[in-house]
Amino acid sequence: MTPKKELLFVALGGSGEIGMNVNLYGTAGKWLMVDCGVTFADPAYPGIDVMLPDLQFIEERGDQLLGIVITHGHEDHIGALPYLAADLGVPIYATPFTAGLIRGKLDEEGIADRVKLKIVQLGGDVNVGPFGVRFVPMAHSIPESTSLVISTPHGKVFHSGDWKLDDQPMVATPASPAELTAIGDQGILALVCDSTNVFNTEASGSEADVRKGLFEQIASAEGRRVMVTSFASNAARLHTLGEVARDTNRKVCVAGRSLDRILKVAKATGYLKDFPQTVDFDTAMRLPRDQVLIIATGGQGEQRAALARIANREHQLSLQSGDRVIFSSKQIPGNEVAIGRIQNQLAAAGIEMVTDRQAHVHVSGHPGRPELAKLYGWLRPKILMPVHGEMRHLMEHARFALSQGIDQTLVQTNGDIVRLAPGNPTKVGHAVVGRLALDGDVILPADGTTINERRKLAAFGHMSVAVAIDRRGQLIGEPQIRVQGVPVEEDREPFLEEAVDAAAETVAAKGRERSKLPEAIRLAVRRVATRWTGKKPVVDVLIIPA
């Protein structure tokens, strides 16, 4: 579909889910992309940590795409750029801090020279074909989070990005109510808005409020080592922890590459200038236990992050019984099992844990209902279209907006092609959407052959059978069988004997039928496995001709 004299919207990610945000606006034959993020993989994808959006819809219309505009530097908004941006072949527009994070990712992938990265100052404007884009600063948990005012021939869209209201945001200065009201005075056709916390009846709270809770939890850990885990990108939280470390006379040790990257980019772009000088791992371990504060990645249960490696005793940093770990972040839906696994390891080691359920150690970066209502009042949009949420969030957001006097709402999900103007908002088609799996250094279809094969191996186990036969189709020696992941531990030898006999009998019966022999052996061996275990393992057969 090519946008004509109309304004279209398509979410390729982030609508009907939390994470992997990719949005398209189309008008006058051209498209503009907003954000290009990743999401965590779940246990249904063994061996996969990160999922990417399938951009087939816009890749097929590559000559119509003009650019990618980035709201802020969180992974669910920029994480897919190192893998997909070069193929799209269009410029990326971002504010200085966000651009610094993106540049680092492009450098790591060795494609920085293939992607144009254009810096737009916070509060600045850029024209991209028929689109005018203004970067409006908003409070969030990362510097330079912006909403976008996207001007088109059919009206203005306020694309909120991730945001909240915060009178004391710690880093950067968000747009004021007066400035947002002035934007509303210009006329807003549609508010495309974050829905993450729509069920929260109270405002998210200020980052300044967290400082007291963190201070109390760290100061009270007398004689003990303290570790705080938070999102690496939460520069406001890093600022708070730096101040608390000073107030409690603790040196700061940072564990995690992403934390190092955030600190480096933040300082280079004018943020976190007063953050304490950090100490290295060896120094941290030599300091008295109550004179060090460790800030670590891994609060979402990531197995390769610092917290998991420390819990597994695979890191230079260590904790012991009585030490305290503070989870200064909210669990992302879907990560509960992974987080619980690490917390159980810590608990078994006698380590005390504090989460936002026990103390005020975290505030969200997303708006609750009071904040949504205030934004509606300032902007006065004709249309509210919820994004950035699961279906329950989107539906509730639409209901809440109607209750607050918004004239029209439209609930869409990934792939819905929505015409915002002219006329009433309506769905006019469907785009191909899906997920890609980042498997090591390879990008694969999330539900393609490789991942499906891996699921089968994980569920049923694997058997390999090697059989040598001569020219007459007679068996040479004895079939060799190897078993992996098939539940026959206690009866392994008698099981293998029966499986070997089944393979040998099949060769004796069908050895001259070379083309049919591998499949016959596979079925015979699998039948043995099914009788013994009730499972149907993956069986590979190798025929070795003499």
Side-chain angles (χ1 to χ4, degrees), residues 221-226 248-250 287-292:
E222 297 179 1
R224 291 180 283 173
R225 192 169 287 156
V226 176
T248 55
N249 297 313
R250 289 176 181 258
L287 286 169
R289 306 190 75 79
D290 59 356
Q291 291 183 23
V292 63

Side-chain angles (χ1 to χ4, degrees), residues 457-478:
L457 290 171
F460 303 112
H462 178 261
M463 298 179 68
S464 58
V465 183
V467 176
I469 60 174
D470 62 21
R471 294 179 180 179
R472 297 173 295 171
Q474 294 182 346
L475 185 66
I476 301 174
E478 186 178 78

Side-chain angles (χ1 to χ4, degrees), residues 353-423:
M353 285 168 285
V354 179
T355 72
D356 59 351
R357 296 179 180 179
Q358 289 84 43
H360 189 46
V361 294
H362 176 65
V363 289
S364 175
H366 301 272
R369 292 165 91 100
E371 294 153 286
L372 291 169
K374 287 182 179 179
L375 188 65
Y376 302 159
W378 295 328
L379 297 179
R380 290 147 284 153
K382 296 178 181 177
I383 304 164
L384 182 283
M385 191 161 62
V387 294
H388 205 293
E390 298 172 359
M391 185 53 68
R392 59 195 175 96
H393 299 95
L394 305 184
M395 294 298 293
E396 181 64 19
H397 195 170
R399 283 190 288 266
F400 179 68
L402 291 172
S403 76
Q404 296 297 306
I406 301 292
D407 289 339
Q408 295 176 293
T409 64
L410 188 146
V411 175
Q412 50 76 53
T413 190
N414 291 343
D416 288 337
I417 301 175
V418 176
R419 181 187 292 125
L420 291 171

Side-chain angles (χ1 to χ4, degrees), residues 423-442:
N424 292 325
T426 185
K427 298 176 186 178
V428 295
H430 193 80
V432 173
V433 292
R435 293 184 171 194
L436 304 173
L438 180 60
D439 193 9
D441 295 328
V442 180

Side-chain angles (χ1 to χ4, degrees), residues 19-74:
M20 204 174 72
N21 297 279
V22 185
N23 301 287
L24 294 170
Y25 290 92
T27 192
K30 301 298 180 183
W31 292 95
L32 180 71
M33 182 180 291
V34 175
D35 293 333
C36 190
V38 297
T39 192
F40 290 111
D42 60 44
Y45 298 90
I48 306 298
D49 294 324
V50 172
M51 307 295 286
L52 310 174
D54 186 342
L55 302 185
Q56 178 182 337
F57 174 81
I58 195 62
E59 287 171 344
E60 293 174 347
R61 298 161 177 81
D63 59 337
Q64 300 173 15
L65 181 64
L66 298 178
I68 307 170
V69 183
I70 303 298
T71 60
H72 66 287
H74 277 147

